[in-house]
Amino acid sequence: MARAVNADAPGLMAEEAKKIGAALVHYSTDYVFDGSKTTPYLENDPTNPINAYGRTKLAGEQAIRDSGVPHLIFRTTWVYGREGRNFLRTILRLATQKEELKIVRDQIGAPTSSQDIAMATAEVLSRIYASQGAARAFPGVSGTYHMTADGQTSWYEFAKAILDEAAGIASDPWFAAVTNRQPLIARSVVPIAAAEYPTPARRPAYSVLSSEKLAHTFGIELLDWRAQLQSCFAGCPPALRRTDG
């Protein structure tokens, strides 16, 4: 199923897009890397996925490249948002059920808001279309880019930051829905090693991606992960840094 969704489907969409003269925007993942680096990954660093998700996402990337369609592949990390199933909502739910939360401290990444990813994507496309006809502009920028929040943290520190933001939130329909109108009873967040929290799939220990290529090519940067989290809680529109003046 992972291969059908992550590899076969993007390849088919790429082929169909090419037939009608369209370009394709696709989202990929830090999981194409094995996490053995200690400095942010660049787009051209060797890939070496360590789980089925990473392997099939990498296959999807390659299928798009092999199709020859003009494309933008955006790799991102630790995506969360106000909707859907994600770490933010999970922590808030658990905080209504448990007084102590045990969270992994030795996996490092850059939590990135889905709203900020959407905003950055829209800005990239608007810049491509504004410069000249997209059919002429796309081939010049077609490729793979990392699109993540600035900075880095652990799941443990991210969980603590979520609860810090939650402690200061006023009456909010979204927050009430996420917590099912239950009070937060979590009193402590305990850091644990990944080995103490076994999962069916191995996960990279280090998932930070460098977004310098995105900034250099399109003149935009996503904000720091803490600023994104604050914006998410506040329900504010996402913001970007312009690096081209």
Side-chain angles (χ1 to χ4, degrees):
M1 184 180 293
R3 179 162 293 279
V5 173
N6 297 329
D8 298 341
L12 289 170
M13 287 189 285
E15 294 290 350
E16 293 303 313
K18 186 178 180 182
K19 289 178 184 178
I20 63 173
L24 181 68
V25 176
H26 178 70
Y27 297 96
S28 191
T29 174
D30 55 300
Y31 278 29
V32 300
F33 300 112
D34 60 16
S36 61
K37 280 190 74 175
T38 56
T39 56
Y41 280 95
L42 304 175
E43 285 81 355
N44 59 358
D45 279 334
T47 53
N48 185 33
I50 58 176
N51 56 39
Y53 177 65
R55 288 192 295 273
T56 54
K57 290 294 285 186
L58 181 60
E61 288 187 10
Q62 195 57 50
I64 292 169
R65 296 187 192 103
D66 290 345
S67 74
V69 70
H71 63 270
L72 296 171
I73 296 173
F74 293 128
R75 291 178 183 151
T76 190
T77 69
W78 293 20
V79 179
Y80 69 92
R82 289 167 70 94
E83 306 300 330
R85 296 176 59 186
N86 58 76
F87 189 79
L88 166 66
R89 292 173 62 94
T90 296
I91 290 298
L92 293 177
R93 175 177 54 81
L94 291 176
T96 68
Q97 302 169 355
K98 300 180 179 182
E99 292 189 357
E100 180 183 89
L101 303 182
K102 296 181 178 180
I103 308 296
V104 171
R105 58 168 170 75
D106 53 357
Q107 291 176 346
I108 306 299
T112 305
S113 162
S114 57
Q115 284 189 312
D116 287 71
I117 294 170
M119 170 70 79
T121 302
E123 180 67 19
V124 166
L125 292 174
S126 70
R127 292 189 174 213
I128 293 173
Y129 278 79
S131 59
Q132 53 183 305
R136 296 190 299 275
F138 243 104
V141 296
S142 184
T144 302
Y145 298 85
H146 292 168
M147 179 184 282
T148 69
D150 195 17
Q152 63 181 51
T153 191
S154 66
W155 289 116
Y156 163 69
E157 292 291 347
F158 186 31
K160 289 207 305 179
I162 290 170
L163 294 181
D164 285 345
E165 292 297 325
I169 197 168
S171 176
D172 181 283
W174 165 77
F175 186 76
V178 174
T179 59
N180 198 27
R181 300 187 182 278
Q182 299 299 308
L184 302 185
I185 63 172
R187 298 292 178 261
S188 64
V189 182
V190 179
I192 63 171
E196 299 177 66
Y197 186 73
T199 56
R202 294 173 61 199
R203 297 181 177 183
Y206 186 83
S207 290
V208 182
L209 307 180
S210 169
S211 297
E212 290 184 8
K213 181 181 175 183
L214 183 78
H216 177 76
T217 305
F218 299 109
I220 60 171
E221 291 179 340
L222 278 68
L223 298 185
D224 178 82
W225 70 269
R226 283 187 176 274
Q228 290 191 19
L229 181 63
Q230 291 165 359
S231 176
C232 182
F233 264 91
C236 297
L240 300 170
R241 273 196 300 264
R242 269 69 179 183
T243 61
D244 56 1

